Amino acid sequence: MILNEIENYLKSKITGHRNYVIPKLWVESHKQIYRDIVEEKEGKIFVDPYEFFSKSISYILEKSENKDYNKSIGILNGENNPEWIKKSIIYGSLPRTTTAFNHKGFGTFEEIDILGFKESGTFLKMIPLLLYLKHFNINVLYMLPVSKSSNLFKKGSIGSPYAVKNPLMLDESYHDPLLDEFNVEDEFKALVEAAHILGIRVVLDFIPRTASRDSDIIKDHPDWFYWIKIDDLATYKPPKIEELPFKIPEEKDLEIIYRNSEVRKHLEKFADSPDKINPQKWEKVKKMDGNILVNIIREFGIVTPPGFSDWVNDTQPTWDDVTFLRLYLDNPIAAKNFVSESQKPYVLFDVIKASKFPGSKPNLELWNYLSNIIPSYQKKFGIDGARIDMGHALPSKLQEMIIKRAKENDPSFVFIAEELEMNNDEKAKNDGYHVILGNSWYSVARREKFYKLVEETALNMKLPFLASAETPDTPRIKAREFGDKLKFLVPFLLYFLPNGIPYINSGQEIGELQPMNLGLDNSVWGKTILPPDDEFYAKLAFFDHYVLHWNSYDNELYLFLKNLMAEREKYKDFIFNGDFKYVFFNYQDGFLANYSYWFDEKGILIIANLDLSWKREFEVYIDKTVGKEINILTAKVWKKEGEIPIISPFNTIKLNLNPGDFVLLKVNVD
Amino acid sequence: MILNEIENYLKSKITGHRNYVIPKLWVESHKQIYRDIVEEKEGKIFVDPYEFFSKSISYILEKSENKDYNKSIGILNGENNPEWIKKSIIYGSLPRTTTAFNHKGFGTFEEIDILGFKESGTFLKMIPLLLYLKHFNINVLYMLPVSKSSNLFKKGSIGSPYAVKNPLMLDESYHDPLLDEFNVEDEFKALVEAAHILGIRVVLDFIPRTASRDSDIIKDHPDWFYWIKIDDLATYKPPKIEELPFKIPEEKDLEIIYRNSEVRKHLEKFADSPDKINPQKWEKVKKMDGNILVNIIREFGIVTPPGFSDWVNDTQPTWDDVTFLRLYLDNPIAAKNFVSESQKPYVLFDVIKASKFPGSKPNLELWNYLSNIIPSYQKKFGIDGARIDMGHALPSKLQEMIIKRAKENDPSFVFIAEELEMNNDEKAKNDGYHVILGNSWYSVARREKFYKLVEETALNMKLPFLASAETPDTPRIKAREFGDKLKFLVPFLLYFLPNGIPYINSGQEIGELQPMNLGLDNSVWGKTILPPDDEFYAKLAFFDHYVLHWNSYDNELYLFLKNLMAEREKYKDFIFNGDFKYVFFNYQDGFLANYSYWFDEKGILIIANLDLSWKREFEVYIDKTVGKEINILTAKVWKKEGEIPIISPFNTIKLNLNPGDFVLLKVNVD
């Protein structure tokens, strides 16, 4: 195993010089391992980095068996289906952020610091973090894109992980200079091995619809891209269609769209690909040093255009860091009559929405390429699953191909759909997905929707959904209105839900306030939530270096989530195999969230007051809940503050819940 | 002249390809020059950059005579004193910001863009900007530090211009890639030549007290720096002196300070300089490739410490990007009895405040070095003046040396003191300065202080002060409370003041809101003034790239300032040679600011209502103002909206001023 090699290498470098500062929480969860190698000075934890990482790895390796951990856990276990996802608990992480830290311990964050430490996240640093994650019973590590991304036309100080320059390569920034003799592939392999040893499956994020503007793919396949004249770039934007409202175009709108004068000007901006313009010259240019796109601009005067929304009259600006891949070699069938023969390959609302407006000549070579991306990660690293970004915009045949190829390699492989509509569960299932993102993060911030999710939607889902208080695209739960209540209430109610897969968004567990991106349910003000003198004020992890607030973390929340996950672990058999019952109260005003799971006379009841301003006093009817008379021998109430037995419990249990408060009521359970 | 060479080079590169976008205002002021070379598309101004810059330079060169414009204007004019500064109008600029612009015209700002254009400011771009400045009758261009600065331990995404890595070299970032064959010294020379041809003098900012942590000087003079052990850096900070309040230390405090246990620990952190630790090794290390400080840390385990305030118990954090120079070879005389013989050279409050706590052995070689910095700029470029940063912290002998050396080369050379106290005018004068910064920017935002400045302080100054509505360190005038009134009122009242040198802070003239730094009269919230979706939200020009809002500039303010400067130009003889008189009204409630200048019966009266909420109706008594009866033939009122003659004016003139409103009243003038 590469993990062994890395362990040995690190051991050989130990000097005992403790000059590498790490967050206290990174060692807190496994104190016994690190007892003798940690030094605390002025509240900072100092270690010899070689000792710290080798100790972490040694501890993990002790748990390993004689297996090839660069196979998926499904394959290692001989699983022939992806059922495991239903029992998973997911930690969602952009590793460059999750493990970013000022390791030199002075001054401000630097990508690589003066002591030679990489302060931005690395795969190596993710390894000890796996132990920290075990504390929350995490068994799936979902990572946002870690493939090679582009720095061109970036929106902040570093490129977005979603601007993929090469989907087959890992991003070099994840290499840790502590591992001189290894490369980023070795390090990712080691991370997957360590995760698999610990029983943690690894799921990655893939983005088949777009590429970075200067994608590595251009070199071999310039014709898989659209091109416009460089002099038109400064005025390039989605054409405004005065005759139409803000909408996804329908077939009947196409005539209007193509007759529009702005569209006609827009179409004129496109050009042939450089290999077509001048094949000889192209052969020379593609061998030139430097950025391929810069060379093409200089030599051909053309450039890949920025992406934009498939909605007509969308006011969002162009997506400057990505460009669309040319999924069809001809124009959309529905647009055939509106485009002249001499029209160069172009991007327009219908072309973007290829799922709805396919062409007649699929770019099969490209489809093959895209379908082989996930298999390459399966073969090299043994990843366990994938999330597909913008899958809904792909031609359905392409989507099918992508899923099929991966499933052929590994029948336990899981696909997560970027599907936010809960009622598209069936469609996603039919498309071959095993989980949808869903919108629990949206519902939890709106009482009526939250109530409906808990009392109706969750139970009836055809596919599991991510039970998430927050996601990389949404506001942090603690930053919501009443966040100091919701940060406890929401995980409590979500993480026991039927069909819910508990999801912790990296940073959520320590009470991080700053969102990672403003994509969903947020406004431009969402990035201004930290005090302005915070080093990371207004920084978004998608576009800038960002260090989680490890040094001023929310200890109450951290302990609560640990305890909550431990409770869930104790009773998970109820969730997966018990009888689901809604709970009967003496009254219900739409604020008393509730559900329960039963094995005969034993049950756990999840009860919460969704009213964040007023308390509720009410009675729980156990018999009516179960549907039969039962003999209540013991009853206990678990809540934020701990567990209390109810003295001589009756069938009717009185509860008094403060605003946003909640209890896990245990009937006849140990 | 290098300006000629650059002109010829640029001309040779003209292709007519207009792909370089510039702000409209850069061509607006001299439309006739650019008439045929500008193309407007979708509100953007496109030029061929070679044509644009060569046209600008040709126009300037047409005005040149047969002179060496790399001499100061004072020397060229045979001036033997710095009196010119009294008649100057200063534009204060950090060129990297003033001339920053997204020249590619799409996407967001990039330091160097995909078309090869440098979007951050360059000396070349400052040349056409001189023409823009002539519009405001600017005759002094004051530039914040343009010497080579460091990127180490930076506070934002780029280094601060005040973290000087090499005071004798210009910062490479100012080189414009359009000028392939030239270097940054050529370009600065050309800028000074162009300025001098246009009658604009050039003043630079120098920082003798500190250097960047990785200063180039270390290589030749490691003993001119202080050193601490690298392992102590993470806990290095100004020691807290519980026994003392927040104060500048006095001699009697030193015993308390040196007995303090934190101070004792602090003193132990210091080390000898690397050349002393191991001279042979040092000879090798100083020849190594890479950053000198990184090499010293690796090989010697020591580092230059960050700076901190000379106030005891100051709560501001360490100044991470700079370190103090070792001005004395021994400890402060006053501290002699408190420090052991074996103490390594150290930094403490008294050491920092060398002006008050000198040692007995001046580091004369360093003093010589520091005194020769300005002369080197005089000889190479012919600069006309200098601002000295933190001059008050220098030993007075060193300050004297610096001033004397420059004056020997050029008796017309001007020194501006970083002196904010108006009543330190005499002290600054005695120290050899010719101007102080003063605090008008502070007074103007506080009605009573503003009134006092106008009605008392200005007239009695022993030295001119910068009449500034804002500075690089302060809030923008437009961002102040009532900023939409103050942005007009303040320049109006300030720019005619006796002893006032009108000062425009780059961006002020177009209504920029974002401050460049939060150093003075601001809070951490000061950087949050733009809308959060602004590309430069929360960016400070001192620490990040910043582009002024040229595309959404305040046209009303721009035109007003142009007109105001034109009015001032017309009547400047009144200001410099007329009789100063305060104005008599029928009442004075402390809100009616006023002053006037007279030549016998001709006068200009500056009158404003400082009340920003309530209007004032009042009468102006001309006779009482002048102190004798005069024959009023004509009277005119000039205000924001234009000029109006008063029909048959009398000795008593009625005025009705809205909140914050003002008039220039002209009696018997043309």
Side-chain angles (χ1 to χ4, degrees), chain A residues 17-19 21 41-42 44 46 104-110 114-115 151-155 157 213 230-235 237 269 291 293-294 297 303 320 524-528 530-534 537-539 544, chain B residues 17-19 21 41-42 44 46 104-110 114-115 151-155 157 213 230-235 237 269 291 293-294 297 303 320 524-528 530-534 537-539 544:
Chain A
H17 187 189
R18 292 175 183 157
N19 61 346
V21 180
K41 277 191 285 184
E42 310 228 346
K44 291 174 185 165
F46 288 82
K104 64 186 174 303
F106 52 85
T108 54
F109 173 90
E110 295 169 286
I114 194 162
L115 302 182
N151 268 313
L152 200 68
F153 302 128
K154 55 189 186 285
K155 295 177 193 164
S157 62
R213 302 275 291 277
I230 183 68
D231 286 355
D232 285 327
L233 186 50
T235 57
K237 57 177 192 236
K269 293 176 176 165
N291 187 293
L293 190 63
V294 174
I297 291 171
V303 67
D320 286 342
V524 294
W525 296 96
K527 72 173 179 189
T528 69
L530 297 171
D533 54 347
D534 188 288
Y537 180 76
K539 304 284 188 203
D544 282 290
Chain B
H17 186 188
R18 291 176 183 156
N19 61 349
V21 180
K41 277 193 285 186
E42 311 227 344
K44 291 173 184 165
F46 288 81
K104 64 187 173 303
F106 52 84
T108 54
F109 173 90
E110 296 170 286
I114 195 162
L115 302 183
N151 268 314
L152 199 69
F153 303 126
K154 55 190 188 283
K155 295 178 193 164
S157 61
R213 302 275 291 276
I230 182 72
D231 287 355
D232 286 327
L233 185 51
T235 56
K237 57 178 194 244
K269 293 176 177 166
N291 187 293
L293 191 63
V294 174
I297 290 171
V303 66
D320 286 342
V524 294
W525 297 97
K527 73 173 181 190
T528 70
L530 297 171
D533 54 347
D534 188 288
Y537 179 75
K539 304 283 189 204
D544 283 291

Side-chain angles (χ1 to χ4, degrees), chain B residues 235-255:
Chain B
T235 56
Y236 184 87
K237 57 178 194 244
K240 171 112 189 77
I241 315 294
E242 298 284 2
E243 303 88 336
L244 292 177
F246 171 57
K247 66 178 299 192
I248 290 189
E250 293 166 74
E251 195 160 337
K252 69 176 171 59
D253 299 323
L254 294 190
E255 186 164 357

Side-chain angles (χ1 to χ4, degrees), chain A residues 173-219:
Chain A
S173 76
Y174 283 114
H175 168 62
D176 202 306
L178 292 170
L179 296 177
D180 252 1
E181 297 181 3
F182 297 85
N183 63 41
V184 72
E185 286 214 354
D186 297 333
E187 292 156 71
F188 187 68
K189 257 187 195 151
L191 170 59
V192 176
E193 288 171 358
H196 284 177
I197 292 170
L198 294 171
I200 296 174
R201 312 206 194 210
V202 175
V203 174
L204 290 187
D205 201 351
F206 294 96
I207 306 114
R209 183 69 190 91
T210 57
S212 79
R213 302 275 291 277
D214 58 346
S215 167
D216 283 354
I217 305 173
I218 292 175
K219 202 162 270 185

Side-chain angles (χ1 to χ4, degrees), chain B residues 542-572:
Chain B
F542 275 31
F543 313 113
D544 283 291
H545 289 296
Y546 191 90
V547 177
L548 299 174
H549 286 74
W550 295 106
N551 288 338
S552 53
Y553 75 99
D554 184 336
N555 190 42
E556 195 190 359
L557 178 58
Y558 172 78
L559 294 176
F560 168 74
L561 281 174
K562 257 176 48 176
N563 292 337
L564 179 68
M565 290 315 203
E567 285 299 301
R568 187 184 187 276
E569 184 65 17
K570 273 194 239 166
Y571 304 113
K572 65 181 179 189

Side-chain angles (χ1 to χ4, degrees), chain A residues 531-591:
Chain A
D533 54 347
D534 188 288
E535 187 182 339
F536 296 96
Y537 180 76
K539 304 284 188 203
L540 298 173
F542 275 31
F543 312 113
D544 282 290
H545 289 296
Y546 191 89
V547 177
L548 299 174
H549 286 73
W550 295 107
N551 288 339
S552 53
Y553 75 99
D554 183 337
N555 190 43
E556 194 188 0
L557 178 58
Y558 172 78
L559 294 175
F560 168 75
L561 280 174
K562 256 177 48 174
N563 292 336
L564 179 68
M565 290 315 204
E567 284 299 300
R568 187 185 187 276
E569 185 64 18
K570 274 193 237 166
Y571 304 111
K572 64 181 179 188
D573 200 33
F574 281 87
I575 303 174
F576 301 131
N577 303 312
D579 295 324
F580 179 91
K581 307 277 183 188
Y582 291 114
V583 183
F584 267 72
F585 301 136
N586 61 331
Y587 71 93
Q588 178 52 274
D589 60 0
F591 285 85

